Protein backbone atom coordinates (compact mmCIF):
# COMPACT_ATOMS: atom_id res chain seq x y z
CA UNK A 1 0.00 0.00 0.00
CA UNK A 2 2.89 2.37 0.67
CA UNK A 3 4.92 1.69 -2.45
CA UNK A 4 6.45 4.57 -4.38
CA UNK A 5 4.10 3.88 -7.29
CA UNK A 6 1.03 3.95 -5.04
CA UNK A 7 2.08 7.20 -3.38
CA UNK A 8 2.63 8.67 -6.83
CA UNK A 9 -1.06 8.18 -7.51
CA UNK A 10 -2.22 9.78 -4.27
CA UNK A 11 0.46 12.35 -3.46
CA UNK A 12 1.70 15.06 -5.83
CA UNK A 13 4.86 17.01 -5.03
CA UNK A 14 5.01 19.78 -7.61
CA UNK A 15 8.02 21.65 -6.16
CA UNK A 16 10.14 19.29 -4.04
CA UNK A 17 11.76 21.10 -1.13
CA UNK A 18 13.94 18.51 0.60
CA UNK A 19 15.57 21.13 2.81
CA UNK A 20 12.31 22.53 4.18
CA UNK A 21 11.66 22.16 7.88
CA UNK A 22 7.91 21.56 7.49
CA UNK A 23 5.60 19.76 5.08
CA UNK A 24 2.11 20.96 4.17
CA UNK A 25 -0.45 18.45 2.91
CA UNK A 26 -3.26 20.03 0.86
CA UNK A 27 -6.62 18.30 0.42
CA UNK A 28 -8.98 19.42 -2.39
CA UNK A 29 -12.62 20.48 -2.33
CA UNK A 30 -15.50 18.52 -3.88
CA UNK A 31 -14.75 17.99 -7.55
CA UNK A 32 -11.28 19.43 -7.04
CA UNK A 33 -7.91 17.96 -7.90
CA UNK A 34 -4.34 18.19 -6.64
CA UNK A 35 -3.48 20.76 -9.32
CA UNK A 36 -5.66 23.32 -7.53
CA UNK A 37 -2.77 23.71 -5.09
CA UNK A 38 0.00 24.12 -7.67
CA UNK A 39 0.17 27.91 -7.07
CA UNK A 40 0.32 27.36 -3.30
CA UNK A 41 3.18 24.92 -3.76
CA UNK A 42 5.03 27.35 -6.02
CA UNK A 43 4.58 30.22 -3.57
CA UNK A 44 5.77 28.27 -0.52
CA UNK A 45 8.72 26.42 -2.05
CA UNK A 46 11.47 25.95 -1.04
CA UNK A 47 10.68 27.06 2.53
CA UNK A 48 7.81 24.57 2.88
CA UNK A 49 7.58 21.15 1.22
CA UNK A 50 4.05 21.05 -0.20
CA UNK A 51 2.19 17.83 -0.99
CA UNK A 52 -1.22 17.76 -2.69
CA UNK A 53 -3.53 14.76 -2.49
CA UNK A 54 -5.13 13.46 -5.68
CA UNK A 55 -8.40 11.66 -4.96
CA UNK A 56 -9.47 8.75 -7.21
CA UNK A 57 -11.96 9.46 -10.01
CA UNK A 58 -10.49 12.65 -11.51
CA UNK A 59 -7.94 13.76 -14.08
CA UNK A 60 -5.26 11.07 -14.46
CA UNK A 61 -7.21 8.88 -11.97
CA UNK A 62 -10.59 9.32 -13.67
CA UNK A 63 -10.85 5.64 -14.60
CA UNK A 64 -10.78 4.69 -10.92
CA UNK A 65 -14.06 4.68 -8.97
CA UNK A 66 -14.42 7.73 -6.78
CA UNK A 67 -14.82 7.28 -3.03
CA UNK A 68 -18.19 8.66 -1.96
CA UNK A 69 -17.67 8.13 1.79
CA UNK A 70 -15.65 10.79 3.58
CA UNK A 71 -14.47 8.54 6.43
CA UNK A 72 -13.35 5.95 3.87
CA UNK A 73 -11.55 8.59 1.84
CA UNK A 74 -9.71 9.76 4.96
CA UNK A 75 -8.91 6.15 5.86
CA UNK A 76 -7.26 5.64 2.49
CA UNK A 77 -5.36 8.93 2.59
CA UNK A 78 -3.67 8.23 5.93
CA UNK A 79 -1.34 5.36 4.91
CA UNK A 80 -0.23 7.35 1.85
CA UNK A 81 0.90 10.16 4.14
CA UNK A 82 2.73 8.06 6.72
CA UNK A 83 5.93 7.85 4.62
CA UNK A 84 6.01 11.66 4.66
CA UNK A 85 5.87 12.07 8.44
CA UNK A 86 9.64 12.13 8.90
CA UNK A 87 9.36 15.88 9.52
CA UNK A 88 6.65 18.15 11.00
CA UNK A 89 3.44 17.88 8.99
CA UNK A 90 0.64 20.43 8.62
CA UNK A 91 -2.72 19.97 6.88
CA UNK A 92 -4.72 22.38 4.73
CA UNK A 93 -8.16 21.43 3.46
CA UNK A 94 -10.62 23.54 1.49
CA UNK A 95 -14.38 22.87 1.84
CA UNK A 96 -14.85 19.08 1.80
CA UNK A 97 -11.07 18.83 2.05
CA UNK A 98 -11.20 20.43 5.50
CA UNK A 99 -13.43 17.63 6.77
CA UNK A 100 -11.10 15.06 5.22
CA UNK A 101 -8.15 16.83 6.84
CA UNK A 102 -9.85 16.68 10.25
CA UNK A 103 -10.45 12.93 10.03
CA UNK A 104 -6.92 12.37 8.73
CA UNK A 105 -5.52 14.44 11.61
CA UNK A 106 -7.52 12.46 14.18
CA UNK A 107 -6.28 9.17 12.78
CA UNK A 108 -2.68 10.32 12.53
CA UNK A 109 -2.67 11.49 16.13
CA UNK A 110 -4.61 8.75 17.87
CA UNK A 111 -3.58 5.71 15.82
CA UNK A 112 -0.06 6.62 14.71
CA UNK A 113 1.15 9.15 17.27
CA UNK A 114 1.71 11.81 14.61
CA UNK A 115 0.38 15.19 15.75
CA UNK A 116 0.11 17.74 12.93
CA UNK A 117 1.71 21.10 13.70
CA UNK A 118 -1.48 22.86 12.59
CA UNK A 119 -4.74 22.15 10.77
CA UNK A 120 -5.95 24.85 8.37
CA UNK A 121 -9.70 24.43 7.80
CA UNK A 122 -10.80 26.57 4.87
CA UNK A 123 -14.41 27.33 3.86
CA UNK A 124 -15.88 24.57 5.98
CA UNK A 125 -18.01 24.52 9.09
CA UNK A 126 -16.80 22.50 12.08
CA UNK A 127 -17.46 18.75 11.98
CA UNK A 128 -20.07 19.05 14.72
CA UNK A 129 -21.91 21.92 12.96
CA UNK A 130 -24.08 19.69 10.78
CA UNK A 131 -26.44 20.82 8.03
CA UNK A 132 -28.86 18.64 6.11
CA UNK A 133 -27.91 18.92 2.43
CA UNK A 134 -29.03 16.74 -0.49
CA UNK A 135 -27.61 18.29 -3.66
CA UNK A 136 -25.93 14.98 -4.52
CA UNK A 137 -29.41 13.50 -5.05
CA UNK A 138 -30.47 16.18 -7.51
CA UNK A 139 -30.24 16.31 -11.31
CA UNK A 140 -27.02 17.00 -13.17
CA UNK A 141 -28.24 20.51 -14.01
CA UNK A 142 -28.98 21.25 -10.36
CA UNK A 143 -25.57 19.95 -9.31
CA UNK A 144 -23.83 22.13 -11.88
CA UNK A 145 -25.90 25.14 -10.84
CA UNK A 146 -24.73 24.65 -7.27
CA UNK A 147 -21.09 24.70 -8.40
CA UNK A 148 -21.75 27.85 -10.43
CA UNK A 149 -23.44 29.54 -7.46
CA UNK A 150 -20.34 28.88 -5.37
CA UNK A 151 -18.15 30.31 -8.14
CA UNK A 152 -16.06 27.17 -8.20
CA UNK A 153 -13.19 26.99 -10.65
CA UNK A 154 -14.77 23.94 -12.32
CA UNK A 155 -18.01 25.72 -13.21
CA UNK A 156 -16.98 26.82 -16.71
CA UNK A 157 -15.52 23.42 -17.51
CA UNK A 158 -18.90 21.84 -16.83
CA UNK A 159 -20.47 23.77 -19.71
CA UNK A 160 -18.47 21.70 -22.19
CA UNK A 161 -20.42 18.43 -22.81
CA UNK A 162 -17.32 16.23 -23.06
CA UNK A 163 -15.69 17.71 -19.99
CA UNK A 164 -19.00 17.56 -18.14
CA UNK A 165 -19.29 13.80 -18.69
CA UNK A 166 -15.76 13.34 -17.37
CA UNK A 167 -16.13 15.54 -14.28
CA UNK A 168 -19.68 14.84 -13.11
CA UNK A 169 -19.16 11.34 -11.63
CA UNK A 170 -16.40 12.51 -9.28
CA UNK A 171 -18.25 15.73 -8.50
CA UNK A 172 -21.42 13.87 -7.53
CA UNK A 173 -19.44 11.33 -5.52
CA UNK A 174 -17.65 14.10 -3.64
CA UNK A 175 -20.90 15.92 -2.93
CA UNK A 176 -22.30 12.68 -1.54
CA UNK A 177 -19.22 12.20 0.63
CA UNK A 178 -19.43 15.74 2.00
CA UNK A 179 -23.20 15.80 2.51
CA UNK A 180 -23.51 12.38 4.13
CA UNK A 181 -20.55 12.91 6.47
CA UNK A 182 -21.54 12.72 10.12
CA UNK A 183 -19.16 13.64 12.88
CA UNK A 184 -18.64 10.77 15.32
CA UNK A 185 -17.78 12.07 18.80
CA UNK A 186 -14.47 10.82 20.08
CA UNK A 187 -10.94 11.97 20.80
CA UNK A 188 -10.30 15.42 19.43
CA UNK A 189 -7.12 17.07 18.24
CA UNK A 190 -4.32 18.57 20.28
CA UNK A 191 -2.86 20.59 17.41
CA UNK A 192 -3.71 24.24 16.71
CA UNK A 193 -6.59 24.82 14.31
CA UNK A 194 -6.95 27.86 12.09
CA UNK A 195 -10.29 28.32 10.33
CA UNK A 196 -10.36 30.52 7.23
CA UNK A 197 -13.63 31.67 5.69
CA UNK A 198 -15.13 34.17 3.26
CA UNK A 199 -17.52 36.65 4.85
CA UNK A 200 -20.15 35.96 2.18
CA UNK A 201 -19.82 32.17 2.02
CA UNK A 202 -23.30 30.58 2.03
CA UNK A 203 -21.82 27.29 3.23
CA UNK A 204 -20.33 28.41 6.53
CA UNK A 205 -21.23 31.09 9.06
CA UNK A 206 -18.84 32.68 11.53
CA UNK A 207 -20.48 30.70 14.34
CA UNK A 208 -20.10 27.42 12.45
CA UNK A 209 -16.43 28.22 11.80
CA UNK A 210 -15.80 29.15 15.44
CA UNK A 211 -17.11 25.74 16.45
CA UNK A 212 -13.80 24.29 15.21
CA UNK A 213 -12.39 25.44 18.55
CA UNK A 214 -14.37 22.69 20.30
CA UNK A 215 -12.50 20.02 18.33
CA UNK A 216 -9.04 20.73 19.68
CA UNK A 217 -7.32 21.30 22.98
CA UNK A 218 -4.76 23.39 21.13
CA UNK A 219 -4.95 27.01 20.08
CA UNK A 220 -7.70 28.22 17.75
CA UNK A 221 -7.80 31.17 15.38
CA UNK A 222 -10.34 32.42 12.86
CA UNK A 223 -9.39 34.40 9.77
CA UNK A 224 -12.13 36.08 7.73
CA UNK A 225 -11.69 37.41 4.20
CA UNK A 226 -14.00 39.28 1.87
CA UNK A 227 -15.64 36.90 -0.56
CA UNK A 228 -17.58 33.71 -0.92
CA UNK A 229 -16.85 30.01 -0.87
CA UNK A 230 -13.77 30.39 -3.06
CA UNK A 231 -12.53 33.53 -1.32
CA UNK A 232 -8.98 32.18 -1.56
CA UNK A 233 -8.92 32.70 -5.34
CA UNK A 234 -9.05 36.46 -4.67
CA UNK A 235 -6.89 36.40 -1.54
CA UNK A 236 -4.29 33.81 -2.44
CA UNK A 237 -1.37 36.02 -1.41
CA UNK A 238 -2.87 36.72 2.01
CA UNK A 239 -3.69 33.05 2.57
CA UNK A 240 -0.17 32.00 1.59
CA UNK A 241 1.25 34.59 3.99
CA UNK A 242 -0.93 33.20 6.78
CA UNK A 243 0.19 29.65 6.07
CA UNK A 244 3.87 30.49 5.74
CA UNK A 245 3.83 32.71 8.80
CA UNK A 246 2.52 29.94 11.00
CA UNK A 247 4.63 27.16 9.52
CA UNK A 248 7.90 29.04 9.49
CA UNK A 249 7.45 30.23 13.06
CA UNK A 250 6.74 26.63 14.07
CA UNK A 251 9.87 25.46 12.28
CA UNK A 252 11.90 28.23 13.89
CA UNK A 253 12.78 29.74 10.53
Amino acid sequence: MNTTEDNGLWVRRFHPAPGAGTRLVCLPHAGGAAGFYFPVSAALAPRVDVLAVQYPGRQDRRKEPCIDSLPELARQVVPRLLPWTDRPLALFGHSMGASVAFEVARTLEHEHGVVPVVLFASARRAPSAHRDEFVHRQSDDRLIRDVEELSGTDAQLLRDPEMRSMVLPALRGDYKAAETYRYVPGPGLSCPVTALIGDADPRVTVEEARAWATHTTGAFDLKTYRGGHFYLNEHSDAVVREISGQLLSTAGA
Side-chain angles (χ1 to χ4, degrees):
M1 180 175 290
N2 290 326
T3 65
T4 301
E5 180 180 358
D6 183 69
N7 275 283
L9 289 174
W10 283 86
V11 178
R12 308 299 160 92
R13 196 182 185 202
F14 300 119
H15 305 91
T22 308
R23 285 201 172 102
L24 175 68
V25 177
C26 298
L27 297 121
H29 54 281
F36 180 77
Y37 292 109
F38 185 93
V40 175
S41 175
L44 290 174
R47 298 173 299 166
V48 177
D49 194 25
V50 179
L51 310 178
V53 173
Q54 183 81 309
Y55 306 142
R58 67 219 64 216
Q59 294 186 338
D60 57 337
R61 302 190 69 186
R62 65 181 179 274
K63 293 184 179 180
E64 301 175 52
C66 63
I67 300 173
D68 60 9
S69 162
L70 195 144
E72 176 60 19
L73 181 57
R75 189 189 71 80
Q76 294 207 32
V77 167
V78 169
R80 277 78 186 195
L81 295 184
L82 288 177
W84 300 96
T85 58
D86 59 319
R87 68 187 66 181
L89 195 75
L91 300 170
F92 182 101
H94 182 73
S95 193
M96 179 189 82
S99 297
V100 178
F102 170 72
E103 293 296 343
V104 167
R106 279 215 292 184
T107 302
L108 285 175
E109 177 170 352
H110 298 290
E111 295 187 15
H112 300 282
V114 177
V115 180
V117 294
V118 61
L119 167 63
F120 296 99
S122 171
R124 187 66 173 170
R125 55 193 175 272
S128 55
H130 173 70
R131 292 189 192 183
D132 288 324
E133 296 174 317
F134 307 99
V135 178
H136 71 279
R137 298 181 183 176
Q138 304 301 316
S139 67
D140 289 349
D141 288 341
R142 175 66 185 87
L143 184 60
I144 292 170
R145 188 162 66 250
D146 191 78
V147 174
E148 291 176 335
E149 290 170 354
L150 295 177
S151 300
T153 54
D154 297 323
Q156 292 186 350
L157 295 177
L158 292 172
R159 294 170 188 164
D160 177 82
E162 183 177 355
M163 187 64 66
R164 174 172 165 159
S165 65
M166 293 172 58
V167 173
L168 268 175
L171 184 63
R172 186 177 295 280
D174 286 353
Y175 263 67
K176 180 180 179 182
E179 294 181 340
T180 59
Y181 170 63
R182 299 293 182 270
Y183 166 66
V184 177
L189 305 177
S190 62
C191 68
V193 174
T194 296
L196 308 94
I197 62 170
D199 61 4
D201 189 345
R203 292 295 172 83
V204 54
T205 66
V206 170
E207 291 73 20
E208 289 172 327
R210 283 184 179 144
W212 277 100
T214 66
H215 294 281
T216 182
T217 58
F220 172 75
D221 197 10
L222 173 62
K223 302 294 181 182
T224 303
Y225 303 85
R226 292 185 63 83
H229 195 62
F230 283 90
Y231 72 89
L232 72 176
N233 289 334
E234 302 170 30
H235 302 283
S236 58
D237 290 345
V239 172
V240 166
R241 283 196 300 271
E242 179 64 33
I243 294 171
S244 63
Q246 291 200 38
L247 297 189
L248 294 180
S249 65
T250 299

